[in-house]
Amino acid sequence: EHELTKRVFHDQLTGLPNRLSFADRVGHAIATDVGTTGVLLINLDDFRAFTEGLGRDVGDAVLTAFSVRLREMVGPDDLVARLGEDEFGVLMRHASGAAAVDELATRIMDGLAVAVPFGEPLVSCSASVGVATTAGGAGTEQELLRHADLALYAATAEGRGQLRHYDPSMTDT
């Protein structure tokens, strides 16, 4: 029963919480947080082309390495989840404000830009990041995740390695 529950709420490759678990924890954080709750959605740029060129095994190894790297970059109260094939989420709880969430987003962008050693040559992937916070007006889990998704969409539309914050004008498009 424990193993079945783990499979329902965790990604099999990385061991990270999955999309279902992440959404649940975002909702809980909004309901209980006394500070600002921030969500970062991270997409590894051109990952599908990367795995097609180097193979699924290398792609899985890169995803695992990036999941470890993400966990090392966040604080003890923060949560990293794998939301899809090449998409990760970070939940920052108890942030002192939007600036603290921005600092984490910048740290993650810089940390993911560093190449990962997988023999020769080193493997590097850029990432696009969308950021949303409860300070930006989101009051529910659905709103916060939607805002972060719109910010990620804007980031990926502008090219590789972009960071975008949710802006209310994004809702109009």
Side-chain angles (χ1 to χ4, degrees):
E1 187 175 313
H2 174 72
E3 184 63 31
L4 183 58
T5 301
K6 183 176 179 182
R7 287 182 185 213
V8 170
F9 294 108
H10 289 83
D11 175 63
Q12 295 299 303
L13 177 65
T14 63
L16 295 174
N18 63 16
R19 182 176 295 275
L20 180 64
S21 181
F22 186 71
D24 180 61
R25 292 187 191 183
V26 169
H28 186 312
I30 291 171
T32 61
D33 213 344
V34 293
T36 298
T37 299
V39 168
L40 290 71
L41 296 184
I42 304 158
N43 187 64
L44 298 178
D45 297 322
D46 300 326
F47 188 74
R48 184 163 297 176
F50 174 81
T51 57
E52 289 172 1
L54 295 175
R56 174 60 73 189
D57 290 342
V58 173
D60 286 351
V62 168
L63 289 171
T64 302
F66 277 114
S67 72
V68 169
R69 189 174 285 177
L70 278 171
R71 283 184 285 201
E72 291 170 349
M73 286 187 267
V74 302
D77 288 333
D78 304 332
L79 173 75
V80 175
R82 182 172 178 214
L83 307 179
E85 180 181 4
D86 60 350
E87 186 177 343
F88 292 86
V90 174
L91 169 63
M92 186 175 193
R93 299 174 275 220
H94 315 299
S96 58
V101 179
D102 290 344
E103 288 175 21
L104 176 61
T106 300
R107 192 167 63 242
I108 286 173
M109 288 287 293
D110 293 343
L112 292 180
V114 176
V116 176
F118 283 105
E120 295 295 328
L122 297 177
V123 175
S124 64
C125 289
S126 64
S128 297
V129 180
V131 180
T133 67
T134 52
T140 67
E141 161 234 332
Q142 294 89 0
E143 282 180 315
L144 188 57
L145 291 173
R146 188 167 138 266
H147 290 178
D149 194 48
L150 289 168
L152 178 60
Y153 180 78
T156 57
E158 290 192 29
R160 300 168 48 93
Q162 299 296 313
L163 169 66
R164 293 294 171 262
H165 299 85
Y166 171 75
D167 181 279
S169 66
M170 294 175 179
T171 305
D172 299 334
T173 58

